Amino acid sequence: MRSSTRFALVAAAGMAAVLFTLVPALLLRGAAPPSMADVVPTGTATTTAPPSQNGPAKNLTWHNCSIVSGPEYIGGVCAGSKSEGRSVKEILGKDPVPTCWDDPVSDEDLAAMGKANTAGPEGITYYWHSCLSGIDPKTKTREPGGIQIKTWLIHLTNGTPPQTLTANQQTLVDGVRQQGNVPDPVAVVSPSDHPRVGLNVAFLNGHDGELEVRPLGAVIHAHVDHTYVEPLGAGSAPRIDCPGNGTPATPGQTPRPGDGLCWYKYLHSSAGQADEKFQVQITSHWVVEISATGEAGTFEPLDDFTKSAVTPMSVTEIQALVVQ
């Protein structure tokens, strides 16, 4: 697992048992598919649909542990464990419920996505833009369906201040992440910053494809073993897939059969689409394993599921330079 704070989703031993039994059942709403159908896949298109997406969580029993596993949350509690925790209101104090905020993208994650921040007043800096839902802003209590954090990749022009959290809000957000909330996949492309008409790009998931949760008495490890992408939106053919979380393309790299990348080539821009963007749907297939100790060779298969999300993405025309 990469060392970025965003992806270090390890449940603390002192977490309240009620948090481990929290089962968010909120389903993502699929965006209406665009009408554009003239995109050329340059990788291998799948001929069958991936497994059913964003289904309900499962309640599983493993030895003396009660485990919850699903697209929104992975966690559990084992008999004999003790824990204690604070309510949302106690954590926030007088601070308001957080809405959206920006976290810097680590150099490690930028490298994995084939991207880089650029210096100077015209340069850009990448951030993970996150928004929280599921907490009543007046009563500061959890709403039905549980707390959700959805995240996508943005970039801000240098000098534009990012949205930030107070210390109490950060404590709350960190606690939610540590519960074992499964991150939404977010579609990014490489090697270019965004798709351009007529150029090959490789899609990948910008979020980490590994998750570890440690309820007292067990270690749960989950990882993405396959990624599906629908560049024109949910239900719009074609669909491409690649192993793992997807692999970034390097500058100058071109598609080759069997290279394992999720290649695509758009033939038209996103002009005329909703918000002038294609609603790219990306789906991650997760495999969940469990162990009493966490040592290599001791993990047993526990569950698998898929999780989908939509990433709005602009596709622009290549600008021709006319020299007179």
Side-chain angles (χ1 to χ4, degrees), residues 115-278:
K115 300 185 182 299
N117 298 325
T118 54
E122 302 300 321
I124 59 172
T125 300
Y126 284 95
Y127 291 91
W128 294 116
H129 183 74
S130 301
C131 292
L132 181 144
S133 61
I135 300 177
D136 187 299
K138 293 183 179 179
T139 64
K140 297 182 181 178
T141 57
R142 292 179 177 84
E143 297 175 334
I147 303 173
Q148 305 292 319
I149 296 178
K150 300 189 182 301
T151 304
W152 56 98
L153 185 69
I154 66 169
H155 60 74
L156 301 177
T157 303
N158 291 343
T160 302
Q163 295 177 255
T164 59
L165 297 171
T166 67
N168 290 340
Q169 290 173 334
Q170 187 68 61
T171 298
L172 175 69
V173 167
D174 290 343
V176 172
R177 285 174 175 159
Q178 288 173 347
Q179 289 174 33
N181 285 265
V182 180
D184 286 343
V186 55
V188 298
V189 297
S190 62
S192 60
D193 182 63
H194 68 274
R196 292 177 173 82
V197 173
L199 296 182
N200 292 310
V201 292
F203 280 95
L204 64 150
N205 180 10
H207 271 173
D208 191 32
E210 293 190 54
L211 171 64
E212 186 174 272
V213 182
R214 292 178 178 264
L216 297 178
V219 178
I220 303 173
H221 178 263
H223 69 277
V224 175
D225 73 343
H226 217 82
T227 298
Y228 302 85
V229 182
E230 296 167 274
L232 291 178
S236 294
R239 177 191 295 111
I240 57 172
D241 71 286
C242 44
N245 234 14
T247 303
T250 57
Q253 184 176 358
T254 56
R256 291 185 297 104
D259 62 11
L261 274 66
C262 277
W263 289 105
Y264 247 78
K265 181 192 291 184
Y266 286 93
L267 296 185
H268 290 272
S269 75
S270 55
Q273 301 298 314
D275 297 326
E276 304 294 307
K277 296 177 181 179
F278 286 110

Side-chain angles (χ1 to χ4, degrees), residues 41-57:
T42 53
T44 302
T46 59
T47 56
T48 58
S52 60
Q53 300 166 359
N54 297 356

Side-chain angles (χ1 to χ4, degrees), residues 76-94:
V77 64
C78 300
S81 64
K82 297 180 179 179
S83 58
E84 59 182 28
R86 296 186 294 162
S87 68
V88 171
K89 184 180 294 186
E90 290 172 331
I91 293 171
L92 288 176
K94 296 182 179 180

Side-chain angles (χ1 to χ4, degrees), residues 48-75:
T48 58
S52 60
Q53 300 166 359
N54 297 356
K58 299 176 184 176
N59 292 289
L60 308 170
T61 299
W62 183 81
H63 297 297
N64 64 332
C65 302
S66 177
I67 306 298
V68 173
S69 175
E72 305 298 338
Y73 171 83
I74 298 173

Side-chain angles (χ1 to χ4, degrees), residues 1-22:
M1 185 180 298
R2 297 204 296 268
S3 60
S4 170
T5 301
R6 167 166 305 279
F7 302 131
L9 301 175
V10 180
M15 185 166 296
V18 67
L19 297 183
F20 285 121
T21 57
L22 175 65

